[in-house]
Amino acid sequence: NAGVTQTPKFRVLKTGQSMTLLCAQDMNHEYMYWYRQDPGMGLRLIHYSVGEGTTAKGEVPDGYNVSRLKKQNFLLGLESAAPSQTSVYFCASSLPGTSGWGADTQYFGPGTRLTVL
Amino acid sequence: AQSVAQPEDQVNVAEGNPLTVKCTYSVSGNPYLFWYVQYPNRGLQFLLKYITGDNLVKGSYGFEAEFNKSQTSFHLKKPSALVSDSALYFCAVGNTGKLIFGQGTTLQVKP
């Protein structure tokens, strides 16, 4: 049981290049999330998905796209990278709880450190 | 709008002393409150959460947190700090399926 895994761990891009970050979970979780972490700002939600084939915007979605073609995978794409997208990206997943939407524990991957030059 | 504040960027404590990491929140409706810990170059690990019930919540590694509705606070505590507790701690509030995180507090435990 690997939990949540992310590929790649590190990446350096030039401005304007594109790339896709892959998140995979083996816990059969319905919900998946992409966050970015910047110093002094905590984690901010980019996009999320409540099930296979569905995605929704989070707090900072501009410049990113996502896809959830399979339940276990959640892809984050940068079509034209900008230096402002230099960050650490975390994927998370959760199983809907019975206490209310938002009460479920999220499980995080190890992160992808992206630098855009 | 939902928000979480961690008023201290860093907390320093000597090993063996009690520690407190502060968190206040603003949310409409019932709050779902979480604490996560992040060790260097690692992802976030879940420590504990408050959903309902007893205001004192016990979690992993000897940590606990007290929910105070009147003060809208959810402070993280531990009776006796360890050097290995040194890490970045995040408070978060869950609402409509999403987590809103505080900016994080670095805990430094010195021998």
Side-chain angles (χ1 to χ4, degrees):
Chain A
N1 189 335
V4 180
T5 58
Q6 293 183 232
T7 309
K9 289 186 170 51
F10 304 94
R11 186 72 186 268
V12 178
L13 290 178
K14 295 181 179 179
T15 298
Q17 288 185 318
S18 63
M19 78 162 294
T20 300
L21 282 66
L22 171 64
C23 175
Q25 53 94 5
D26 61 3
M27 297 175 283
N28 202 34
H29 285 174
E30 286 292 334
Y31 297 172
M32 295 187 75
Y33 311 83
W34 275 108
Y35 295 91
R36 59 177 290 171
Q37 182 181 23
D38 301 293
M41 301 187 73
L43 276 75
R44 293 179 292 169
L45 183 65
I46 304 171
H47 286 281
Y48 64 100
S49 168
V50 298
E52 182 178 322
T54 71
T55 63
K57 294 180 180 180
E59 182 185 356
V60 288
D62 294 343
Y64 305 95
N65 57 75
V66 288
S67 63
R68 183 104 181 264
L69 299 179
K70 294 182 178 180
K71 184 177 182 179
Q72 64 268 32
N73 295 339
F74 195 28
L75 278 62
L76 177 71
L78 287 73
E79 290 186 348
S80 180
S84 60
Q85 294 177 304
T86 293
S87 188
V88 182
Y89 291 86
F90 288 101
C91 176
S93 70
S94 68
L95 194 62
T98 57
S99 300
W101 195 25
D104 43 296
T105 300
Q106 293 186 19
Y107 296 88
F108 285 78
T112 294
R113 187 173 296 273
L114 176 66
T115 301
V116 183
L117 302 176
Chain B
Q2 286 71 239
S3 65
V4 175
Q6 295 180 241
E8 302 154 316
D9 289 336
Q10 182 157 327
V11 170
N12 297 309
V13 65
E15 188 174 32
N17 283 0
L19 69 88
T20 298
V21 183
K22 296 180 180 178
C23 172
T24 59
Y25 66 90
S26 173
V27 65
S28 56
N30 294 324
Y32 304 129
L33 297 161
F34 299 77
W35 277 102
Y36 284 83
V37 60
Q38 184 181 29
Y39 297 100
N41 300 313
R42 302 287 294 275
L44 276 69
Q45 296 179 31
F46 169 74
L47 278 180
L48 51 81
K49 68 180 178 183
Y50 171 82
I51 303 301
T52 187
D54 194 348
N55 289 345
L56 184 64
V57 180
K58 294 189 183 296
S60 306
Y61 313 121
F63 284 94
E64 59 188 27
E66 186 167 11
F67 170 64
N68 188 317
K69 188 173 183 178
S70 62
Q71 297 186 3
T72 61
S73 67
F74 190 56
H75 301 331
L76 181 70
K77 300 181 180 183
K78 188 174 183 181
S80 179
L82 299 172
V83 173
S84 58
D85 293 329
S86 298
L88 182 58
Y89 290 81
F90 289 100
C91 181
V93 59
N95 188 270
T96 59
K98 292 168 278 187
L99 280 180
I100 307 297
F101 285 86
Q103 71 271 32
T105 298
T106 298
L107 174 64
Q108 189 76 262
V109 182
K110 298 189 176 180

